[in-house]
Amino acid sequence: MHITLIGAGPRGLLLLSRLLSWQPIRYPKRRLNIVLVDPYPIGGRVWKINQDPNLIMNTAASQITLFTDQSVTDVGPFITGPDLSTWALTIAAGYLDAHPELDNRAILLRQAASLGPNSYASRALYGVYQRWFFDLLRAQAGQNTITYKQQTVTRLDQKNPGFTITTDQESWQTDQVVMALGNLKNSLTRDQKALHDYAKAHKLFYLEPGFPEEGDLSNIEPQAPVIVRGLGLSFFDLMSRLTEGRGGRFQKTADGLLAYHPSGREPHIFAGSRRGFPYRAKGHNQKGPGEEWQPQFLTPEQINAWQARGEVSGQTFWDALKHEAELIYYRLLLPQRYPDIDETAFEHDFLADPVATLGTLPIAAKDRLDWDVLADPTKAHPSGQPYQDFMRHYLRQDAREAMRGTKTGPLTSALEVLRDMRDPIRQFVERGLFSQDQYLDFFLRWFNSLNDFLSIGPPALRIDQLQALIGAGIVTILPPGMQIKGIDGQFLLKTPSDPKFSLQAKALLEARVPAVNAPTAQDPLVQQLLHDGYAHPYELQLNADKRFQSGAIAVDRQTQQLLDANEQPQAGLFFWGVPTEGVHWLTTASPRPLVNDVSLKTAEQIVKAIFAGTGS
């Protein structure tokens, strides 16, 4: 059987691994001919080995794996292997020594030697882990053949039987196809196109939304103002490239946080976003492999009961999720700050009636978990305090809270619950428990933004670095709602909260990866699939006969088969990854060991479907 895997990042490698593990059982008398194809080296675009080694992941190294394990639902045969941190300390040095041609080899060796289970690997080092994993699979392929083609797939055509794959270099026939794609570059929006055209007309620098390690920043002059729009994860990559990437250095101070020593080659960064705050720091991991907070309100039994009754409101879901976080928060807070309160009695009462229990809990207002302030930290801005002083204080507090840990810090542990509840949250999406209107307005538009802000942020190190850069006068964070337009041959930056503030700059950087929007994706394969009816965007049927096109590629949620223009699943044609965000939820997360991880489950699911009915 001939199988083509399009995409050589973590998803493509997971599929390759599961195919090889299942083959002796499901297909013992015949061999697999597997083609893995990607325009980038093994690891794909995001995890290139030769990228800036200062760019780091936002998940602790012990929580990243490419090996399927016994926790996966209905798991088949599998081989065990090390998570990223274990690999770094036991195997990485020998592998790197055997590959002297790798860029940044000396730096990668140092990084691997110092990588602990709760530290954060560089993206380049994770790229090496993926390449090692691929080499391991090739060595274990047996009678099966694995061919890697570093090419761009431009079209797919259905034949009887199978498919024809066409790249920028050749074509071949295949029986089954799995597209495991990441973020795709889009055509510019109207606003972005206007800024791009203005920059071109006035010889300014405009960095489009994309992958922040790829943009050429060399023309940004030292000490010149540069505007950065966006305060998510991409912002921290750009921040790093423009500061420590230009020779500056951070140093620990007596208070335990960092100070920054400029090189003199940094620009002055003015950054902002709609919310006006960077994502909250990722808490210092204290959990062992497979350890998670267990649901008390979003239990399988409760979710089944909701499903039996029909649709669930967004508010019902949100109340239950808040209660999960509140239980952990107060369970840790009380013995630390209020030892006279009976913790066992509190927990018993809270599980029975959370709202009433919190209403009578005798603790100070400053110690309560305030969701309004968490969602909008400007509510805590003291009147008259200079905004940069307020922002730096907020960031220092955030870094310190994160360092208190995911099992002992009350706030950090509470926000960690949002990560541990990802599987129950996914059940609301996968089972269609929200009405289509609630799914759009509450979940996609409101909850997703808040969840990203509170739970998928950078390591505390990055927040600590940012407060140090503000203290050094290198970074200025704008209040919410920054406004940018071209005027007088430069980019003009203003903020509604301070009518007197304005700034002109010659450089504007979009700190964001491309949004999921298949109709505007600049990918030849995706456009051909849409044009020829092999694929269509996922749509929501709203009230009043309105329809909303989400931008996601429509797939069958159970089988991952690509749905054609008539919404019919296509045998032997699977689609998995970031372009399905909206059909699925949180498709960018890295595989995590020993927690029945969704990526490991999905790979298992697809490979079982590939082998179904093939005989021996």
Side-chain angles (χ1 to χ4, degrees):
M1 181 164 56
H2 195 292
I3 303 169
T4 297
L5 307 178
I6 303 174
R11 293 180 187 83
L13 295 175
L14 288 177
L15 289 163
L16 178 59
S17 172
R18 302 313 296 139
L19 285 167
L20 296 176
S21 292
W22 272 104
Q23 181 270 334
I25 293 177
R26 287 292 183 93
Y27 214 66
K29 296 180 181 179
R30 297 173 65 184
R31 72 176 186 177
L32 302 178
N33 295 298
I34 305 170
V35 174
L36 187 63
V37 57
D38 194 300
Y40 294 89
I42 292 295
R45 188 172 189 173
V46 175
W47 312 109
K48 295 191 295 289
I49 295 172
N50 62 351
Q51 65 183 291
D52 184 340
N54 287 320
L55 302 184
I56 58 177
M57 305 180 70
N58 72 322
T59 301
S62 63
Q63 296 184 345
I64 296 171
T65 189
L66 290 174
F67 290 90
T68 298
D69 56 58
Q70 65 271 22
S71 71
V72 177
T73 304
D74 297 325
V75 67
F78 63 90
I79 58 170
T80 59
D83 61 38
L84 179 56
S85 66
T86 303
W87 169 85
L89 295 176
T90 59
I91 298 172
Y95 184 76
L96 287 165
D97 284 341
H99 293 277
E101 78 282 0
L102 293 180
D103 292 337
N104 297 325
R105 178 172 159 274
I107 295 174
L108 292 167
L109 278 166
R110 290 197 298 271
Q111 289 182 343
S114 63
L115 188 70
N118 298 321
S119 53
Y120 295 83
S122 70
R123 294 210 289 265
L125 188 63
Y126 185 34
V128 179
Y129 177 66
Q130 292 177 60
R131 176 165 167 172
W132 165 81
F133 185 73
F134 177 67
D135 290 346
L136 178 69
L137 295 179
R138 286 199 298 187
Q140 297 175 342
Q143 66 175 348
N144 305 301
T145 63
I146 301 171
T147 304
Y148 174 61
K149 298 177 184 286
Q150 192 170 329
Q151 301 174 17
T152 299
V153 178
T154 57
R155 67 177 298 116
L156 175 151
D157 294 287
Q158 190 168 21
K159 300 296 181 183
N160 287 313
F163 305 88
T164 298
I165 302 296
T166 302
T167 74
D168 53 355
Q169 299 179 35
E170 59 179 308
S171 296
W172 63 86
Q173 298 295 120
T174 191
D175 300 310
Q176 308 255 1
V177 182
V178 186
M179 290 164 275
L181 307 183
N183 288 94
L184 304 174
K185 188 175 178 63
N186 295 325
S187 300
L188 298 180
T189 65
R190 184 180 304 175
D191 170 59
Q192 293 162 0
K193 181 70 163 54
L195 292 168
H196 172 274
D197 291 347
Y198 188 83
K200 186 175 181 180
H202 294 86
K203 298 181 179 179
L204 305 177
F205 179 61
Y206 175 67
L207 183 67
E208 301 173 7
F211 299 88
E213 73 92 10
E214 295 179 354
D216 182 2
L217 308 182
S218 60
N219 290 328
I220 297 177
E221 298 176 357
Q223 301 177 33
V226 56
I227 303 169
V228 180
R229 182 160 66 172
L231 291 171
L233 297 176
S234 292
F235 164 74
F236 291 96
D237 290 343
L238 293 172
M239 179 189 84
S240 175
R241 293 184 62 195
L242 291 170
T243 55
E244 58 185 344
R246 291 194 170 193
R249 60 185 180 88
F250 294 94
Q251 184 177 36
K252 190 78 75 174
T253 63
D255 68 357
L257 296 178
L258 296 175
Y260 183 71
H261 301 278
S263 68
R265 298 194 291 121
E266 302 88 347
H268 188 167
I269 300 169
F270 291 83
S273 67
R274 284 191 295 269
R275 190 184 298 273
F277 288 79
Y279 288 178
R280 288 199 70 104
K282 189 70 64 66
H284 169 65
N285 180 54
Q286 296 173 313
K287 295 179 178 178
E291 187 177 1
E292 293 183 299
W293 297 113
Q294 294 304 304
Q296 302 296 318
F297 297 90
L298 292 171
T299 63
E301 295 77 16
Q302 180 61 70
I303 293 173
N304 288 337
W306 280 326
Q307 186 172 27
R309 294 201 296 266
E311 295 171 349
V312 179
S313 72
Q315 190 62 51
T316 297
F317 159 83
W318 177 232
D319 286 343
L321 184 58
K322 284 194 300 182
H323 296 333
E324 298 282 8
E326 289 162 349
L327 175 60
I328 300 302
Y329 176 81
Y330 292 107
R331 181 190 285 172
L332 294 173
L333 177 77
L334 294 182
Q336 294 178 20
R337 300 290 300 274
Y338 298 89
D340 293 338
I341 297 177
D342 188 325
E343 179 189 348
T344 302
F346 160 78
E347 186 167 336
H348 175 272
D349 294 344
F350 186 87
L351 290 172
D353 191 339
V355 174
T357 302
L358 290 184
T360 58
L361 191 65
I363 65 172
K366 67 179 179 62
D367 289 329
R368 291 185 176 270
L369 191 58
D370 190 328
W371 291 100
D372 289 337
V373 172
L374 282 173
D376 181 7
T378 58
K379 294 181 182 296
H381 182 194
S383 177
Q385 183 184 33
Y387 194 76
Q388 295 312 299
D389 292 347
F390 162 67
M391 178 59 69
R392 191 177 184 213
H393 173 74
Y394 166 84
L395 293 170
R396 289 167 70 87
Q397 218 173 14
D398 185 31
R400 285 196 172 101
E401 284 290 343
M403 293 171 187
R404 294 182 68 185
T406 58
K407 289 175 67 175
T408 55
L411 180 57
T412 295
S413 300
L415 297 181
E416 177 75 2
V417 169
L418 300 179
R419 295 183 70 229
D420 288 350
M421 293 299 121
R422 284 177 180 177
D423 195 60
I425 294 169
R426 276 195 185 90
Q427 294 303 311
F428 282 79
V429 175
E430 300 296 329
R431 299 191 194 187
L433 295 186
F434 298 119
S435 71
Q436 300 277 275
D437 288 82
Q438 283 273 285
Y439 184 55
L440 174 61
D441 294 330
F442 164 76
F443 193 84
L444 294 180
R445 289 177 171 167
W446 183 82
F447 173 75
N448 259 353
S449 173
L450 181 61
N451 181 71
D452 288 353
F453 176 61
L454 296 179
S455 74
I456 69 165
L461 170 67
R462 289 299 197 216
I463 296 296
D464 193 4
Q465 289 176 339
L466 178 56
Q467 67 80 23
L469 290 166
I470 293 174
I474 302 296
V475 174
T476 297
I477 301 295
L478 276 295
M482 66 188 298
Q483 300 170 345
I484 304 167
K485 63 180 179 179
I487 192 168
D488 296 333
Q490 296 197 64
F491 295 115
L492 177 67
L493 172 64
K494 296 184 74 66
T495 174
S497 63
D498 184 1
K500 296 181 181 180
F501 174 85
S502 67
L503 173 85
Q504 289 185 317
K506 295 181 179 180
L508 168 60
L509 314 181
E510 299 280 15
R512 66 193 75 190
V513 295
V516 174
N517 192 13
T520 66
Q522 292 183 334
D523 181 271
L525 175 61
V526 168
Q527 290 308 312
Q528 181 258 324
L529 293 172
L530 293 171
H531 180 270
D532 292 348
Y534 290 109
H536 76 278
Y538 174 60
E539 291 189 333
L540 299 175
Q541 178 62 59
L542 307 177
N543 290 332
D545 292 326
K546 295 180 181 179
R547 295 186 70 85
F548 174 80
Q549 191 178 92
S550 72
I553 292 288
V555 297
D556 185 286
R557 279 183 169 140
Q558 278 66 52
T559 67
Q560 315 313 318
Q561 287 174 296
L562 185 63
L563 300 183
D564 64 19
N566 297 315
E567 300 191 0
Q568 296 301 307
Q570 298 162 88
L573 191 56
F574 303 87
F575 199 105
W576 180 33
V578 177
T580 67
E581 181 70 32
V583 179
H584 297 301
W585 179 67
L586 209 60
T587 56
T588 56
S590 298
R592 184 175 174 181
L594 300 173
V595 295
N596 195 19
D597 179 81
V598 65
S599 293
L600 301 180
K601 283 192 293 186
T602 304
E604 193 80 359
Q605 181 184 64
I606 292 173
V607 168
K608 286 181 180 180
I610 287 175
F611 283 127
T614 60
S616 59

